[in-house]
Amino acid sequence: MARLSAAQYGKDNIRVYKVHRDEQTGIQDVVEMTVGVLLQGEIDTSYTQADNSVVVPTDTVKNTVYIMAKQHPVTPPELFGAIVATHFIETYKHIHSAQVKIITHRWTRMTVDGEPHPHSFLRDGAETRNVEAVANEGKGIELCSAIAGLLVLKSTGSAFHSFIRDEYTILPEVNDRILSTEVDCGWAWDTFRTLKDVESTVPKFNKAWSNARDITLKTFAQDESASVQNTMYKMCEQILAAVPMVKAVDYSLPNKHYFEIDLSWHKGLKNTGKDAEVYAPQSDPNGLIQCTVTRS
């Protein structure tokens, strides 16, 4: 006999762009997001009995996101996510949980003739600022913030040696190597009881994002890395210390490998070890290192 054990639905990949125009200064600010919403609650009969009377149409979900974006601030994304999630559990009594995921895409103001341009922007990388907001009826709001797609590289200051060697191992030990990765870093906030609690925390969200990004970049650059594992742990420790309202930090760091090319076959040309200058960037396979660090 079959039983529906879990169900959720919603609208994904909702593209939203919002512009704020300061009529006095002529300066405009823009935000572009991709939003996803998933709803849970008393919706089982829509699956098991073809009962659409419990379904909030996914087109309605999409329209709601646009209307919320018009009526409320979309920055910081933690606030907007909490606003949208809370709307669904308060508006529809049979919906008991709403998950909102927001990807904020980069638009950086152009500098023209040494001055910031009032209404022109460029996308200076694939890095995004992400948020997941989950409003659970009677249990508060869970927020997770993240940096994703931040590509970094340093040409020295990284080693990897003293690892397990057995009959399957051919990897050489190195005291100096190129280290490159695409940073995915997330931090989970303490539970917020109400939307008002989220609103009162607004000044801390941007500061936490800046702290996490600065700590990531500074530690990556300055740490004499014995391993990706140890470096990412140091990053987590520092973020927990910098943001008291955060209860957990996680990193996912894939290795972006750059291999030396032996050119000795061409007239004895030296290009390995201390003589290495030309490398071959690799796409896959790649190492993937992950961790979550919480408060003890």
Side-chain angles (χ1 to χ4, degrees):
M1 183 176 179
R3 178 179 68 88
L4 183 68
S5 57
Q8 60 182 355
Y9 77 99
K11 200 74 161 182
D12 202 11
N13 296 311
I14 306 167
R15 301 294 301 274
V16 183
Y17 168 93
K18 185 173 183 178
V19 58
H20 172 75
R21 303 177 181 90
D22 189 317
E23 301 297 339
Q24 292 185 334
T25 65
I27 295 174
Q28 299 188 7
D29 294 291
V30 301
V31 177
E32 183 175 344
M33 305 176 292
T34 301
V35 181
V37 179
L38 286 172
L39 307 177
Q40 296 182 18
E42 298 167 45
I43 58 174
D44 290 12
T45 55
S46 67
Y47 293 82
T48 60
Q49 300 176 29
D51 174 17
N52 290 336
S53 68
V54 296
V55 175
V56 181
T58 66
D59 190 66
T60 300
V61 174
K62 175 203 68 180
N63 293 338
T64 300
V65 171
Y66 290 143
I67 292 167
M68 295 293 104
K70 175 64 177 180
Q71 294 178 337
H72 300 276
V74 297
T75 58
E78 289 86 354
L79 173 61
F80 185 61
I83 289 171
V84 174
T86 300
H87 166 85
F88 283 107
I89 66 169
E90 290 186 347
T91 302
Y92 306 101
K93 298 307 178 185
H94 69 296
I95 298 298
H96 305 310
S97 179
Q99 176 197 79
V100 178
K101 291 185 177 180
I102 299 174
I103 301 171
T104 304
H105 306 281
R106 287 179 71 85
W107 284 119
T108 301
R109 190 176 301 279
M110 289 186 187
T111 299
V112 178
D113 295 331
E115 297 292 334
H117 197 274
H119 58 255
S120 295
F121 306 84
L122 61 92
R123 179 155 297 167
D124 57 350
E127 175 193 354
T128 59
R129 177 175 174 177
N130 300 352
V131 164
E132 179 180 314
V134 180
N136 294 305
E137 185 180 11
K139 297 180 180 179
I141 301 169
E142 302 290 343
L143 289 178
C144 292
S145 307
I147 297 164
L150 175 58
L151 186 60
V152 294
L153 177 149
K154 65 179 180 179
S155 54
T156 189
S158 174
F160 189 57
H161 54 75
S162 304
F163 46 81
I164 293 173
R165 303 199 72 88
D166 58 23
E167 66 269 30
Y168 303 103
T169 307
I170 60 172
L171 183 70
E173 299 191 356
V174 291
N175 293 309
D176 189 44
R177 64 173 181 170
I178 296 168
L179 179 59
S180 180
T181 188
E182 188 172 286
V183 176
D184 283 353
C185 167
W187 52 100
W189 297 83
D190 291 334
T191 302
F192 294 90
R193 291 180 304 148
T194 66
L195 181 58
K196 288 189 179 298
D197 292 332
V198 176
E199 292 170 341
S200 68
T201 310
V202 160
K204 298 181 180 179
F205 293 129
N206 286 344
K207 190 173 188 300
W209 177 83
S210 295
N211 283 339
R213 194 174 190 274
D214 290 346
I215 287 168
T216 298
L217 295 177
K218 183 176 180 179
T219 306
F220 178 84
Q222 294 184 345
D223 185 41
E224 289 294 327
S225 178
S227 66
V228 176
Q229 287 89 333
N230 185 240
T231 298
M232 71 199 313
Y233 183 78
K234 292 176 181 178
M235 294 173 179
C236 292
E237 283 187 311
Q238 292 176 70
I239 293 172
L240 286 173
V243 191
M245 290 182 67
V246 163
K247 60 186 175 183
V249 181
D250 63 82
Y251 274 88
S252 179
L253 301 180
N255 279 327
K256 303 289 186 180
H257 296 295
Y258 291 75
F259 290 167
E260 294 180 358
I261 306 172
D262 185 353
L263 299 176
S264 60
W265 56 270
H266 180 74
K267 301 178 183 180
L269 192 60
K270 295 180 179 180
N271 190 60
T272 59
K274 63 181 179 59
D275 297 310
E277 293 180 307
V278 178
Y279 297 79
Q282 307 296 304
S283 55
D284 49 53
N286 61 272
L288 179 60
I289 321 300
Q290 299 178 327
C291 77
T292 300
V293 179
T294 57
R295 299 188 186 277
S296 57

